[in-house]
Amino acid sequence: MAKVAAGLQYSEEHEWVAREDGNLVSVGISAVATDALGDIVYVDLPEVGSTVTAGETCGEVESTKSVSDLYSPVTGEVTELNTSAVDDPAVINSDPYGAGWLFKVAAVTDGPLLSAEEYAAKNGGEL
């Protein structure tokens, strides 16, 4: 079973949200998603300063198996990209909830999000 990190919130499309200072959130993809995708070889992220909208595509994740859209779990302005994950996408597989985060957003509103428990129950993950 794939690991689901407690204390995070999750979208139906397998992105996670970690609350930081104020309205700042980090966004990444879950271990459930990385397990399904296989080895990630490329990631295309939204630009810093761009606005992302909850539930809409904002990038792509390419693996040895397929290309998947990346959906924003929140609406707001992108403030930072994880350039380490862009340069070495394998870190998304090895540490999806840590060094494999993708981007940060100054969130204005959240999309529909699940608790870690709800996400794990729905996707066969373990906390």
Side-chain angles (χ1 to χ4, degrees), residues 29 34 37-45 60-64 82-96 99-102:
I29 60 172
T34 62
L37 286 167
D39 295 332
I40 297 171
V41 296
Y42 175 77
V43 63
D44 179 37
L45 301 176
E60 286 183 341
V61 178
E62 184 176 329
S63 72
T64 54
N82 184 354
T83 55
S84 296
V86 173
D87 294 342
D88 182 16
V91 72
I92 301 167
N93 288 100
S94 63
D95 191 9
W101 65 275
L102 299 177

Side-chain angles (χ1 to χ4, degrees), residues 9-72:
Q9 292 179 294
Y10 297 84
S11 71
E12 293 276 348
E13 292 81 19
H14 308 290
E15 288 79 20
W16 56 258
V17 174
R19 305 278 170 198
E20 297 190 13
D21 294 334
N23 66 338
L24 190 66
V25 300
S26 294
V27 176
I29 60 172
S30 72
V32 171
T34 62
D35 284 0
L37 286 167
D39 295 332
I40 297 171
V41 296
Y42 175 77
V43 63
D44 179 37
L45 301 176
E47 293 181 20
V48 170
S50 66
T51 299
V52 292
T53 302
E56 293 189 7
T57 59
C58 63
E60 286 183 341
V61 178
E62 184 176 329
S63 72
T64 54
K65 293 182 182 178
S66 66
V67 176
S68 295
D69 285 332
L70 181 63
Y71 294 88
S72 182

